[in-house]
Amino acid sequence: MELIVARNREDLVKARAGGDVALVPTMGALHEGHRSLIREARVRADQVVVSIFVNPLQFSPNEDFSRYPRTFDADLDVCRAEGVDVVFHPAVEDMYAPDRQVSLSAGRMGTIAEGAVRPGHFDGMLTVVLKLFNLVQPDMAIFGQKDAQQLALIRRMVADLDLPIEIVGAPTVREPDGLALSSRNRYLSEDDRRVALALSRALRAGAAERTPSRIRAVARAVLDAAGPELDVDYLALVDPATFDEVSESYEGEAVLAVAARVGSTRLIDNVILTLNPA
Ligand code: AMP
């Protein structure tokens, strides 16, 4: 089957086919992490739709919206190679009317951890994801665990707004040395990249401990040892569903999450661990 490129909502309606539809929302600059989500979609659904849209609503004025990598032709090659059926690539003006008024709020969960550092980011992210859900009308959508708070908020949105869409979380794909793949990694110099390895190293070291206080302390020590080139925004050990910090007696799955800047590049990473198993 030929890959269909839908550039507006009319194209998207024409591309509709029967059977189960899986949506993989992305901002493009596709890498092996995106490919793993596409493969997950491919085994689960009859039609795979990948959206490629750098969403201005989720960037604040001091962030990298205009500098975000855009590699559309290479992205189309990736989609062809992975057997994607439809790429949805709308223009910003097609998605947002100049007189638009209504948008979503991520609530309190949008103001903690990543949301505390990036005010409004999760409101903008949920607004575009809901619009993509309405436009594509998928039966399921695949998101990476790499953006753990995003995944938790999308699950929250689906529950709170009764959206008839199954949300599938997919594991984080890493470089052999542990660095989580990210479209922003291309901005790391060789030196930056060495410093950036402290994120995954801190998460691994933390995850080898047993209690929340030890996990936090050991992970923090690894981050501190990376020196001043690593500018840490936060290290958090949280409940994966609420992103509230866990207490010392917490039992069950937790997420150890970190965000830091290396040079002018901001990186996030996380691991899932189980606390106080019975
Ligand atoms: P982005 O294009 O960065 O907005 O990401 C699009 C989707 O790919 C999101 O669901 C991300 O969580 C997911 N993703 C990004 N990096 C990775 C990775 N290293 N492994 C797995 N999924 C990823």
Side-chain angles (χ1 to χ4, degrees):
M1 278 282 281
E2 187 86 345
L3 174 71
I4 299 172
V5 179
R7 293 187 182 264
N8 52 46
R9 45 198 85 204
E10 291 74 37
D11 291 353
L12 201 52
V13 170
K14 275 189 246 152
R16 239 170 235 153
D20 277 355
V21 176
L23 171 64
V24 181
T26 81
M27 298 205 298
L30 302 182
H31 51 63
E32 219 26 70
H34 298 112
R35 279 179 184 256
S36 75
L37 306 191
I38 293 170
R39 287 183 200 129
E40 189 64 46
R42 191 67 282 167
V43 296
R44 287 170 181 261
D46 302 302
Q47 193 183 38
V48 175
V49 180
V50 172
S51 60
I52 298 180
F53 181 63
V54 185
N55 174 33
L57 252 55
Q58 68 191 68
F59 291 79
S60 62
N62 62 342
E63 289 183 336
D64 59 348
F65 173 70
S66 54
R67 186 175 160 252
Y68 196 83
R70 289 165 173 85
T71 61
F72 188 62
D73 291 339
D75 293 348
L76 286 185
D77 290 340
V78 168
C79 289
R80 271 190 208 99
E82 294 295 341
V84 169
D85 298 291
V86 182
V87 167
F88 180 43
H89 184 53
V92 171
E93 309 76 62
D94 255 311
M95 288 295 272
Y96 298 120
D99 58 346
R100 69 178 199 90
Q101 297 286 318
V102 178
S103 58
L104 281 177
S105 162
R108 197 186 76 83
M109 226 178 120
T111 67
I112 56 180
E114 186 71 3
V117 188
R118 304 186 69 188
H121 166 70
F122 287 122
D123 299 349
M125 180 279 292
L126 288 181
T127 300
V128 81
V129 170
L130 181 60
K131 283 171 69 75
L132 291 170
F133 284 180
N134 287 332
L135 289 164
V136 175
Q137 299 182 16
D139 298 278
M140 67 197 83
I142 326 290
F143 293 89
Q145 178 63 40
K146 160 83 172 16
D147 297 273
Q149 194 170 359
Q150 165 173 292
L151 176 59
L153 271 162
I154 286 162
R155 291 192 194 284
R156 203 58 258 171
M157 170 172 80
V158 163
D160 289 349
L161 303 183
D162 300 302
L163 305 181
I165 298 171
E166 182 192 353
I167 303 301
V168 178
T172 301
V173 176
R174 299 176 179 281
E175 301 279 8
D177 61 10
L179 183 70
L181 293 189
S182 161
S183 302
R184 290 183 172 102
N185 288 356
R186 70 190 64 207
Y187 295 128
L188 298 172
S189 68
E190 227 171 278
D191 284 347
D192 290 344
R193 212 184 163 294
R194 240 188 323 273
V195 176
L197 279 181
L199 272 74
S200 55
R201 203 182 312 125
L203 297 177
R204 272 198 312 276
E209 299 293 324
R210 294 176 58 87
T211 63
S213 51
R214 285 288 302 160
I215 291 167
R216 290 183 176 109
V218 167
R220 172 65 66 181
V222 175
L223 295 174
D224 288 347
E229 281 79 44
L230 190 74
D231 185 3
V232 178
D233 277 339
Y234 62 85
L235 172 73
L237 180 62
V238 298
D239 179 327
T242 63
F243 263 70
D244 285 326
E245 288 285 341
V246 301
S247 68
E248 202 62 14
S249 59
Y250 178 91
E251 289 177 17
E253 278 200 345
V255 166
L256 181 61
V258 63
R261 266 160 295 141
V262 185
S264 58
T265 307
R266 190 165 182 280
L267 301 172
I268 63 171
D269 197 358
N270 71 86
V271 289
I272 303 177
L273 37 88
T274 306
L275 289 171
N276 299 313

